[in-house]
Amino acid sequence: MAVAVAGQGPMRLRLRCSSAYSLGDFQCCMLHVPEHTRTVRDLAAHVSRLLELNIRGGQGDLPQLLLGGFLVPHEEEVRQVLRDDEVVDVEPPGNVAIGGERMAPPGA
């Protein structure tokens, strides 16, 4: 008998992508999170590759992910901070406003 481990089952997220990306019908979409995805950085890279963000307005940078308007750091573990069926906003770096001020992209 298999025992399910909390947070280790299949995960799908609902993505709302910034208008800075030209995605047409995929501006809002469902995304399956692969089991091997560990960090938010891994997830951001997966989203970027899958939606081809680098050629659709992303300029080669990994997107920032927000949950309820709050920035989710790339170093966090995906299954510790996100749950199945949550809505995640996808924004280009430097396009994220926190406290009314724009954040500079990492390394800028």
Side-chain angles (χ1 to χ4, degrees), residues 9-48:
M11 180 189 289
R12 292 182 306 163
L13 298 172
R14 293 182 282 162
L15 302 182
R16 285 190 305 210
C17 299
S18 165
S19 61
Y21 300 117
S22 301
L23 298 171
D25 290 341
F26 292 101
Q27 214 67 41
C28 292
C29 60
M30 292 288 292
L31 172 83
H32 174 262
V33 179
E35 285 294 323
H36 67 270
T37 304
R38 298 290 174 235
T39 66
V40 173
R41 181 181 313 283
D42 296 339
L43 177 59
H46 177 66
V47 168
S48 184

Side-chain angles (χ1 to χ4, degrees), residues 37-47 62-66 71-82 88:
T37 304
R38 298 290 174 235
T39 66
V40 173
R41 181 181 313 283
D42 296 339
L43 177 59
H46 177 66
V47 168
L62 288 181
Q64 297 291 330
L65 305 181
L66 291 90
L71 181 65
V72 182
H74 280 170
E75 296 75 28
E76 294 288 336
E77 291 188 29
V78 169
R79 285 170 176 78
Q80 295 296 317
V81 295
L82 300 175
V88 176

